Amino acid sequence: MNETTQLPPLPDRLSVDARSPHHVAAVFEHDIGIRLNGKELVNVEEYCISEGWVKVPAGKTVDRKGHPLLIKLKGQVEAFYR
């Protein structure tokens, strides 16, 4: 990575879904990672650091609109750039 590249700050709450008000497209131009209780997760759809939760898909289950059903996992959340 180039040292002169300025990365946007990671928000307290972020969602992968572009329809969400918590979606920040500038952050997704870079590779980000999420840790929950020290374990890195790769399938996080949404997170909130201050409230201490992440939402991950519940298997292959989808709702009637075809979007994955999400379950909320609680713990210490860390977001970082890779």
Side-chain angles (χ1 to χ4, degrees):
M1 185 184 312
N2 190 353
E3 293 297 324
T4 61
T5 304
Q6 187 68 8
L7 297 174
L10 288 170
D12 176 58
R13 186 168 178 178
L14 184 66
S15 176
V16 175
D17 188 3
R19 298 170 294 139
S20 170
H22 302 291
H23 180 79
V24 180
V27 172
F28 291 108
E29 294 176 0
H30 309 284
D31 193 21
I32 63 171
I34 305 294
R35 282 192 200 102
L36 179 67
N37 296 329
K39 182 180 176 188
E40 188 169 346
L41 300 176
V42 294
N43 60 344
V44 174
E45 294 283 326
E46 187 174 354
Y47 74 82
C48 183
I49 296 172
S50 64
E51 295 178 13
W53 56 261
V54 296
K55 289 185 179 179
V56 295
K60 295 182 179 181
T61 309
V62 294
D63 65 9
R64 61 183 171 214
K65 296 181 181 179
H67 304 293
L69 288 180
L70 303 176
I71 57 173
K72 185 186 285 189
L73 304 175
K74 295 184 178 186
Q76 182 180 359
V77 179
E78 300 172 56
F80 59 93
Y81 285 108
R82 294 186 184 156

